């Protein structure tokens, strides 16, 4: 995670909206744990609602959205694997438990990083995550 | 762009490395999942057999059980299966049926024996039911139909009505198509290893499939196992290289005696 100077000093209103984009994905994590698509949808709706907003807000909405897209793959795999255990002949195996623990660790890391990003952006500090920050810089144009 | 690709590679590699490292831990033993499943199956077996035996007339005569036991033992020994874990029950009933209950209770109706023209036909059905046990189909079916949590609650005394319903389902309905096919193919393998001609098993299915409409109330095993002719066809196909070194499990006298018990 990098704390960098943004292209301009964001206003109080912008900082609040940017912070909300991360909080949106956190609320969605709690509400949508069994259904991973909910996280993505909530963040996507927030992103679409703010796509004509200022650069700072759009940038952080995009970073939050990208983090949810990457989590979607991890959580969907775990979700459908669990469904197949409950409703098909698939059984609980060491690989399955290892995957669920891995997915849990990834989710916890993402959760902590997201909370941190929400607090920092609320203070108007620009936070760029490793990999996702670079990707956001490519996607989100001023 | 190269930097991003490198970062994606690092992240994905880290995730897979974590998964790989965690998968090396024997979580199934650590969480005692096998033990839980084993205890649940044993409790289920006792519950379902107690319930079923109340409404069934079990034949305990040594003379009737011994030939059946010889067949089960022959199939088990030839295939490295622990026979001591299987509890055999012979039930006086005209219904042509055999089924497996949890914890390896093998239930055979006299109607099935009476309808079998050859001991190898009976061996085929017994092999099929043993395959269901060995491939863990009984518990798979229960977990799929009822759910693991409901099963565990039953072992602690809950859901009397549900237990009755499941006992009826276990004795009168088939497994899904894939599990039935898997058990059929496995049964062929068991029969071949025991030097029993699997073609009789296919003939039995075909014959009962042909005559089913006229006697459907007695044809549980066939009517709940769909497409008997199709099953006969893939059983024949799976026999492959035919071993001609077949030998009977029972003497002619023992088979006749067993048939006698079944028809009287």
């Amino acid at each position: 995670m990098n704390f960098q100077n943004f292209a301009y000093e964001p206003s109080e209103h912008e900082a609040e909206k940017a912070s909300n984009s991360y909080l949106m994905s956190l609320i969605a994590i709690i509400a949508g744990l069994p259904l991973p698509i909910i996280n993505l949808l909530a963040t996507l709706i927030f992103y679409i609602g703010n796509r004509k907003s200022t650069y700072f807000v759009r940038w952080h909405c995009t970073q939050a959205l990208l983090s949810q897209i990457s989590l979607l793959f991890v959580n969907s795999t775990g979700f459908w694997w669990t469904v197949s255990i409950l409703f098909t002949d698939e059984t609980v195996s060491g690989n399955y438990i290892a995957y669920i623990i891995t997915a849990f660790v990834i989710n916890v890391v993402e959760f902590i990083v997201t909370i941190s990003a929400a607090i920092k952006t609320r203070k108007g500090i620009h936070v760029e995550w490793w990999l996702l920050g670079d990707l956001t810089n490519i996607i989100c144009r001023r | 762009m190269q930097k991003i690709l490198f970062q994606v590679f690092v992240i994905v590699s880290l995730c897979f490395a974590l998964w790989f490292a965690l998968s090396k831990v024997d979580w199934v033993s650590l969480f005692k999942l096998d033990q839980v499943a084993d205890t649940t199956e044993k409790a289920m077996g006792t519950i379902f057999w107690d319930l079923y035996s109340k409404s069934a007339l079990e034949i305990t005569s040594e003379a009737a059980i011994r030939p059946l036991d010889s067949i089960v033992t022959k199939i088990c020994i030839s295939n490295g299966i622990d026979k001591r874990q299987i509890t055999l029950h012979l039930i006086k009933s005209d219904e042509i049926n055999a089924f497996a209950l949890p914890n390896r209770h093998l239930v055979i109706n006299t109607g099935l024996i009476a309808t079998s023209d050859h001991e190898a036909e009976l061996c085929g059905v017994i092999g099929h039911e043993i395959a269901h046990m060995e491939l863990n189909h009984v518990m798979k079916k229960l977990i799929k139909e009822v759910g693991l949590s409901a099963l565990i609650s039953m072992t602690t005394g809950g859901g009397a009505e549900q237990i009755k319903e499941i006992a009826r389902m276990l004795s009168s309905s088939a497994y899904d198509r894939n599990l039935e096919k898997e058990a059929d193919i496995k049964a062929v393998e068991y029969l071949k290893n025991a030097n029993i001609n699997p073609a009789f098993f296919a003939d039995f299915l075909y014959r009962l499939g042909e005559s089913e409409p006229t006697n459907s109330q007695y044809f549980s095993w066939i009517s709940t196992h769909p497409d008997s002719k199709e099953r006969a066809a893939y059983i024949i196909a799976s026999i492959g290289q035919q071993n001609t070194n077949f030998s009977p499990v029972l003497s002619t006298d023992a088979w006749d005696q067993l048939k006698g018990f079944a028809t009287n």
Side-chain angles (χ1 to χ4, degrees), chain B residues 19-70:
Chain B
W19 181 21
F20 179 76
L22 286 169
S23 68
K24 293 290 145 198
V25 178
D26 188 2
W27 298 105
V28 176
S29 303
L30 200 68
F31 292 141
K32 297 182 177 168
L33 292 179
D34 282 344
Q35 214 172 310
V36 171
D38 207 37
T39 313
T40 307
E41 187 174 353
K42 277 183 181 153
M44 288 281 105
T46 310
I47 290 170
F48 289 133
W49 171 248
D50 285 350
L51 189 71
Y52 185 80
S53 60
K54 278 180 190 164
S55 58
L57 180 64
E58 186 177 14
I59 299 173
T60 50
S61 153
E62 180 73 13
I65 294 291
R66 199 182 305 119
L68 277 179
D69 197 63
S70 301

Side-chain angles (χ1 to χ4, degrees), chain B residues 148-257:
Chain B
L148 192 57
S149 58
L151 286 180
I152 292 170
S153 85
M154 280 175 209
T155 62
T156 53
E161 275 308 308
Q162 203 178 7
I163 291 172
K164 279 185 193 167
E165 181 57 29
I166 298 163
R168 191 201 57 75
M169 174 196 84
L170 278 175
S171 63
S172 64
S173 71
Y175 298 81
D176 73 36
R177 200 184 181 87
N178 288 338
L179 297 189
E180 287 301 341
K181 186 168 184 177
E182 205 182 354
D184 282 336
I185 304 292
K186 197 73 179 168
V188 169
E189 187 188 317
Y190 288 164
L191 296 175
K192 283 166 82 175
N193 289 342
N195 290 327
I196 300 166
N197 190 350
F200 282 99
F201 180 36
D203 290 348
F204 179 73
L205 290 173
Y206 197 85
R207 197 176 74 240
L208 265 66
E210 287 274 279
S211 52
E212 179 191 352
T214 52
N215 292 304
S216 57
Q217 73 270 31
Y218 293 126
F219 281 62
S220 285
W221 204 79
I222 287 299
S223 61
T224 58
H225 290 61
D227 301 319
S228 301
K229 289 180 188 171
E230 184 193 322
R231 290 177 66 201
Y234 67 63
I235 286 170
I236 291 288
S238 72
I239 291 172
Q241 185 91 35
Q242 189 69 283
N243 174 7
T244 50
N245 192 24
F246 299 120
S247 58
V249 181
L250 304 175
S251 66
T252 313
D253 285 349
W255 173 245
D256 289 342
Q257 198 182 358

